[in-house]
Amino acid sequence: MKKSVFFLLCLFSTIILRAQQKVIPLYEGTAPGTETWNWNEAENDQNMWQTKVVYNVVQPSLTVFQPAAGKANGTAVIICPGGAFFALSINSEGFDVASWLQQKGVTCFVLKYRLAHTTGNDPTAEVAAKMGKKEFEEETGKVIPLAIADGRAAIAYVRKHAAEYNVLPDRIGIMGFSAGGTLASAALFNYNNENKPDFAAPVYPYFPKEMYGTVGAGAPPLFITAASDDALGLAPHSVDLYNYWMAAKQPAELHMYAKGGHGFGMRKQNLPSDQWIDRFGEWLDQQGFLKRPAFNPEFALFEQRVYPTVDGNILPYRILYPENYDKNKKYPLVLFLHGSGERGKDNEKQLTHGARLFLSAENRKKFPAIVLFPQCPDESFWATSTIDRTVQPARFELDYSGEANWPLTAANELVKKMIAEGAVDPGRVYITGLSMGGMGTFESVFRYPNLYAAALPICGGGDVEEYDKRVSKTAFWIFHGSADRAVDVKMSRDMVDKLKKLKVELKYSEYPGVNHNSWDNAFAEPDYLDWMLRHKRKK
C-alpha cells in the first residue's frame, strides 16, 4: 500500500512539474505553408503504442526544460519525438529525454512539429492501417518538408534567444527519434549560420540516402544509435549515415544494439539498449558539451547576448547597463571593438582589455552609460584590409572602397538597433577600440559618419586615401606607442595628419618607448572617459 501511495505521489509530482514547463510558439502567427489548416492539436493516452501521443499539430511549439538555478552548462538540445509523422511519442521520446538531460545541466526544447492530419482520435491505429500503402507515402511526403522546416526553425529560434535561456550560441544541438530522427538528420545538410546544429543525435532515424546532401569540413559531430532488430528495418539508415560521416572524415559515434526493436526511447526493456542515454551523456561529455564554461565572475555584470544579422550571421556580444538602469531614460552608449587576439565565439575574450575600466565602481557612478562589447569571429576582422606579416611591424593595407566586413556592419547595426529601442541618447554615441579594433573604429566612423560623437582608436590605422570630410562631425582622440612592433605607429601618425587637413577636432597621445599595449596607457589617462562622454554629436 505504501509503495502504491509513493508511486502515485511521484507520478503526481511529475505531472505538476511538466505542467509548469514553459511552452513557446515556434512561429509568430500561423506556421508558413499551412495557413489553411483548421484542425486542433490533441492527445491520446489509450492506444496500441501504450504511451501518450500528441497528434494533429498545426502550430509547432517548443516545451522548455531548464536546469535548476546555477546548474546550466550552456548547452541546449532540441528534441524531436517520433511517430511516423502522424503522431509524437511525447513522453519516452520527448519529455523523459528532456528530464534526463536537464539533470545534466542541458537546457532542452521538446519540439512539436507539424504532422499529417488524423481524422479519428487514435493516430496509432491510423498509422497501422496506412503503413506500407501509397496513401501513407503521399500524406507523409507532403508533411515531411514542413516538419524538417520546423526542425531548422527550432535551432534558429534557440540560437536567436540563447541569452534568455543561459545557452551558448555555439552549443546548440538537435536529436530526434524515428521520424524525429529525420529532422535531426536533415539539419546536418543545407544549413546556414542561424540553423546549423553544433551537434546532432539521430536515434533509429528514418533517413534514406536520397535525402542526403553534401558533407564537408566543419560538419557537426554525430551520435547515432539504433537496434539491429528494428521492426521497421531502419537499422541500415543509421549505419549508412555513420559511414557517410566516416568517408568525409568527420566525427561520429555509432551504437548498434543487437536487440531493442524500434521505438525503444526511454522505455525500460531490461536490455542493453536501455543504457543508450548513458552512452549519449558520455559522448556529450567527451565532446565538451557537459562542461560548464569557465566564465570569469568578474565580468558577470556584462550580460551575454547575440545579434542575428539579416544575412544569417550571428554576432556574440556582451552589454553592460548603468546602475539603476531605467529604460525610460536616455543614456550614452559606448561601442568597444577588441583586438585580433580576442576573436572567437566564447562571448568572453573580448572583455580582456577595457571591460574593467567600465566596471569600475567609481566610473559606473560618475559615467553611467550603456556599453557594448561585440566579439568578432576567428575567421574575420573588423576592418577591411590585407595584411603582410612577413615584416615587423606587419604591413596593413586598409581599403574602404568595397563593402565592410560583416562583423563590423553587424556591430554598427547593433548600435543603431539600440538607439531605435529608445533608451540611448542618439547625440551621445561613442566608439573606441584597440589594434584591430582601432582600425575598426576608424572604418566605422567613415562608414557611419552621422553616428558617433567621438572616436578613440588605440594603436590602429585607417584608409588615409578614402578619409574625407564626411567624418568631420566626430571628434577624435588617437593613441599609439612609438615602439609598437605589431602595428606601425606611422599608421596613427598618417591618420592624424589627414584629420588635421580635414580640420576635425583632434587630440593625439603618443607614448615614447611603448610597444603594442598602448591601451594600458590610454585607459590610464584620467580624462579618457570624461573627454569621450562630454562630446555631443555635431549637427
Side-chain angles (χ1 to χ4, degrees), residues 207-376:
F207 201 69
K209 287 184 177 180
E210 53 265 29
M211 298 184 73
Y212 285 19
T214 57
V215 56
L222 197 54
F223 176 93
I224 311 170
T225 188
S228 298
D229 64 346
D230 188 309
L232 299 183
L234 297 184
H237 290 210
S238 293
V239 176
D240 290 343
L241 187 59
Y242 172 79
N243 287 335
Y244 196 53
W245 242 241
M246 288 292 94
K249 296 181 169 53
Q250 297 304 302
E253 184 168 313
L254 171 66
H255 292 267
M256 185 62 70
Y257 294 96
K259 292 185 177 181
H262 185 81
F264 49 80
M266 296 294 284
R267 299 172 186 266
K268 296 302 177 186
Q269 304 181 93
N270 296 317
L271 294 171
S273 57
D274 293 354
Q275 278 75 52
W276 75 267
I277 189 72
D278 298 290
R279 305 291 80 78
F280 179 52
E282 292 165 357
W283 180 84
L284 285 173
D285 193 32
Q286 290 169 356
Q287 297 292 320
F289 291 120
L290 295 188
K291 296 176 176 63
R292 297 184 67 186
F295 288 128
N296 187 339
E298 181 183 5
F299 299 137
L301 288 175
F302 274 95
E303 297 180 17
Q304 290 187 54
R305 302 282 176 82
V306 293
Y307 177 64
T309 73
V310 294
D311 298 324
N313 292 304
I314 301 292
L315 183 75
Y317 70 95
R318 301 287 282 265
I319 184 168
L320 176 71
Y321 288 100
E323 290 181 329
N324 304 313
Y325 172 67
D326 182 349
K327 65 181 180 181
N328 295 312
K329 293 182 178 180
K330 299 284 187 180
Y331 295 94
L333 183 144
V334 180
L335 174 64
F336 189 103
L337 302 180
H338 62 79
S340 61
E342 291 75 60
R343 290 175 298 171
K345 56 184 179 180
D346 67 334
N347 210 356
E348 176 148 352
K349 278 194 297 186
Q350 74 267 35
L351 300 174
T352 302
H353 304 296
R356 293 175 181 84
L357 178 71
F358 297 99
L359 286 170
S360 159
E362 180 182 353
N363 287 338
R364 294 196 76 202
K365 187 174 183 179
K366 190 175 179 181
F367 307 110
I370 298 171
V371 186
L372 293 174
F373 271 71
Q375 186 176 35
C376 183

Side-chain angles (χ1 to χ4, degrees), residues 193-207:
N193 290 329
E194 283 185 315
N195 60 32
K196 178 182 178 181
D198 296 299
F199 60 89
V203 181
Y204 41 84
Y206 167 79
F207 201 69

Side-chain angles (χ1 to χ4, degrees), residues 62 76-80 107 109-111 151 154-155 158 172-176:
L62 294 167
V77 178
I78 290 97
I79 302 171
C80 310
T107 304
F109 299 80
V110 178
L111 173 63
I155 298 170
V158 174
I172 299 170
I174 185 169
M175 68 185 304

